[in-house]
Amino acid sequence: MYKRVPGTRDLLPDEVYLWQRLEQLSRNIFSIYNYKEIRTPLIEDISLFNRSLGESTEIVQKQMFLIKNKEDTYALRPEGTASIVRSYIENSLDKSTGFIKLYYLGPMFRLERPQKGRLRQFHHIGCEAIGSRSPEMDIEVIALADSLLKAYSIEGYKIKINSLGCDKDKQKLAALLRKGLEDKVDSLCPDCQARFKRNVLRVLDCKNEACRQVANSLDIRQSYLCGDCLTHFSRVRQGLDLLDIAYEVSPFLVRGLDYYTRTVFEIIHGDLGAQDAIGAGGRYDNLVNELGGPELGAMGFAFGVERLLLTAHPAPAKKQPAIVYLISLGEESKLISLKIMSDLRRAGIACDTDYENRSLKAAMRKANDNQAGYVLIIGEDEIKKGVVTLKDMGSGEQKEVSRDDLIKELQLKT
Ligand code: HAM
């Protein structure tokens, strides 16, 4: 028997319904905030991610799915931000539209060790607002994330925010960390010892307990922020307070990707265990320029859909449109059923039939399994009279309806 690749999942119809519901709710909220959908390819040139996410990040170092041919190396996208910025520049959206608010839904790929909430193919629902450096943009993006979680009926999450400051501030932060960690390097895990040399900020992302303890013992707060970045950060907090969005300032939140500047945030949920982030994002004011575009500020976030669904309490109600189920008794009635179904579908009425030659009783059971609202029975008698027997599955009532009146009758009911 063939098995799916570890860290991937099959979404069977019952579960797909929950996904569709989440997607529907998301599209609705995004459009209320005036974000437009963008779809970019699943594969990109590897250099795009090396450059944007940072050579020393966990994703670039260990987690990229690569596709190599003679000349090129492509990567399955591990996230959406880099691709969207690439697309923004390549399609000259800076010239045609300028400031733009985009959202996206789709699969991402990271070669990780699979565990609860950590997959190799997972899905993002996210957004990117490109072309603004205003703190009000940060406030809107965080408020949007909060609105989405409320729309999904997810409770018990916590929003953590921090500011990394501008490039200079990030360098100051790195110097502070290097100084603070200097005499503690031996207590760090081997990966962090390498990070200490290459990109010390990444030590703060490490999940290793010993490294966490060392990081938590440092006193860094926001001392590295310049005046402008401090003002920006306090404006963001002021806005979140005004909108009654609960958050916590977390000085150790640096995010695992190099493109971030100024505001970063992460949303965690207690139900998730070790992989507790349901979503995260932040500002990336240098990325558009670094990838060859103009100097434009940008801000966004992404939720992990699988993790959202692990925390959705209560799960979205399971409700599918009730279908009409046709049961034909005898060969002649099968063709008549096909014609009736074709007419019903043209009139927008969802319907289906039994294709397995079941007995009336077994076909009725199948209608029940399909959560049919109505059953139409077509046998020899009905054919002679030019009618069908219509059974209301809710009330159990049954009556004959002329075939000419059937659509009208069902339109009144469904
Ligand atoms: P990220 O923190 O790498 O950020 O991913 C965002 C979310 O995706 C995480 O909080 C988590 O819920 C989910 N996630 C990440 N990896 C996995 C995995 N292996 N399995 C299941 N879920 C996962 C980004 O990707 C940024 N592009 C977000 C962003 C948008 N920043 C600015 N704009």
Side-chain angles (χ1 to χ4, degrees):
M1 193 188 8
Y2 291 107
K3 300 231 165 168
R4 68 201 139 74
V5 171
T8 64
R9 296 188 57 216
D10 296 314
L11 296 175
L12 303 179
D14 266 358
E15 201 181 343
V16 167
Y17 179 73
L18 296 176
W19 282 66
Q20 288 171 341
R21 175 123 175 85
L22 215 64
E23 287 161 8
Q24 223 174 44
L25 290 167
S26 309
R27 287 181 198 286
N28 183 32
I29 300 286
F30 280 128
S31 78
I32 289 173
Y33 278 75
N34 196 26
Y35 284 63
K36 305 274 189 286
E37 186 174 357
I38 182 166
R39 300 183 190 194
T40 59
L42 301 193
I43 50 173
E44 298 276 358
D45 197 285
I46 185 180
S47 58
L48 174 70
F49 300 116
N50 293 350
R51 180 74 203 261
S52 354
L53 314 188
E55 297 276 359
S56 58
T57 54
E58 195 82 355
I59 299 182
V60 167
Q61 286 283 313
K62 300 185 186 162
Q63 299 175 349
M64 298 259 260
F65 273 101
L66 301 181
I67 305 167
K68 293 185 189 181
N69 63 23
K70 271 198 196 117
E71 281 123 46
D72 307 296
T73 305
Y74 303 131
L76 288 182
R77 62 180 189 191
E79 58 107 57
T81 313
S83 306
I84 288 169
V85 172
R86 193 256 323 126
S87 170
Y88 180 83
I89 300 167
E90 189 174 347
N91 294 293
S92 305
L93 297 186
D94 53 313
K95 296 185 189 85
S96 56
T97 347
F99 173 67
I100 197 163
K101 304 203 287 188
L102 301 165
Y103 77 88
Y104 53 100
L105 306 112
M108 306 291 159
F109 304 86
R110 295 184 194 175
L111 193 53
E112 308 210 57
R113 203 153 34 83
Q115 56 174 261
K116 182 184 169 197
R118 196 210 262 164
L119 293 147
R120 289 179 170 173
Q121 177 178 330
F122 59 98
H123 295 75
H124 271 171
I125 291 179
C127 70
E128 313 294 345
I130 304 177
S132 163
R133 289 180 193 274
S134 146
E136 285 72 38
M137 195 69 252
D138 308 28
I139 300 163
E140 174 176 292
V141 166
I142 298 172
L144 168 56
D146 189 61
S147 297
L148 284 164
L149 291 172
K150 294 205 163 90
Y152 306 148
S153 309
I154 292 177
E155 286 168 3
Y157 56 89
K158 198 189 273 177
I159 304 177
K160 297 202 293 187
I161 66 167
N162 192 19
S163 174
L164 299 176
C166 54
D167 262 351
K168 275 200 185 134
D169 296 349
K170 278 171 78 176
Q171 281 165 21
K172 259 194 269 170
L173 170 61
L176 269 176
L177 283 174
R178 230 172 273 119
K179 195 147 175 276
L181 291 171
E182 224 164 28
D183 53 355
K184 301 185 176 87
V185 178
D186 292 345
S187 347
L188 299 174
C189 72
D191 277 350
C192 279
Q193 296 189 4
R195 287 176 190 135
F196 177 78
K197 290 193 197 121
R198 264 201 327 258
N199 186 346
V200 69
L201 254 63
R202 300 281 73 86
V203 173
L204 299 190
D205 302 328
C206 187
K207 299 272 188 250
N208 181 302
E209 193 43 45
C211 301
R212 281 199 161 192
Q213 271 182 19
V214 172
N216 287 336
S217 70
L218 304 173
D219 183 15
I220 41 176
R221 271 170 281 182
Q222 276 80 42
S223 57
Y224 50 89
L225 292 182
C226 67
D228 282 353
C229 290
L230 262 180
T231 309
H232 185 101
F233 193 41
S234 80
R235 184 89 180 165
V236 172
R237 288 185 322 221
Q238 208 184 340
L240 295 177
D241 292 339
L242 181 75
L243 301 184
D244 268 335
I245 295 172
Y247 63 88
E248 195 177 87
V249 175
S250 168
F252 297 107
L253 178 67
V254 290
R255 307 276 301 115
L257 305 162
D258 281 357
Y259 53 58
Y260 290 114
T261 51
R262 290 196 162 171
T263 315
V264 286
F265 70 105
E266 194 163 82
I267 305 178
I268 58 167
H269 198 289
D271 283 3
L272 286 181
Q275 308 300 319
D276 62 355
I278 45 179
R283 197 161 255 297
Y284 44 98
D285 286 344
N286 302 325
L287 189 61
V288 182
N289 186 239
E290 271 168 20
L291 295 184
E295 291 208 3
L296 292 174
M299 167 89 188
F301 73 85
F303 283 129
V305 179
E306 287 79 1
R307 293 191 193 172
L308 287 177
L309 286 168
L310 285 172
T311 61
H313 295 305
K318 191 176 171 199
K319 192 173 172 297
Q320 284 170 346
I323 65 159
V324 176
Y325 198 82
L326 281 77
I327 300 176
S328 33
L329 306 170
E331 285 308 304
E332 199 187 340
S333 64
K334 279 189 186 142
L335 276 181
I336 294 173
S337 279
L338 278 184
K339 175 74 176 93
I340 295 177
M341 281 205 297
S342 161
D343 292 344
L344 293 184
R345 285 168 175 162
R346 274 190 200 154
I349 297 170
C351 57
D352 203 354
T353 190
D354 164 43
Y355 287 103
E356 293 164 282
N357 289 325
R358 286 186 163 82
S359 67
L360 176 61
K361 206 167 145 200
M364 285 301 283
R365 265 203 305 274
K366 199 72 189 166
N368 254 324
D369 293 347
N370 276 284
Q371 288 153 14
Y374 297 91
V375 165
L376 299 182
I377 301 165
I378 306 129
E380 273 172 31
D381 257 13
E382 281 87 356
I383 295 174
K384 264 187 233 145
K385 291 198 228 160
V387 299
V388 298
T389 299
L390 170 67
K391 177 165 180 165
D392 182 327
M393 298 294 275
S395 64
E397 271 169 35
Q398 193 166 305
K399 65 175 179 184
E400 285 185 350
V401 178
S402 133
R403 272 178 53 195
D404 295 338
D405 298 336
L406 183 60
I407 290 185
K408 230 188 305 149
E409 178 85 19
L410 285 171
Q411 272 168 340
L412 287 175
K413 291 178 185 294
T414 51

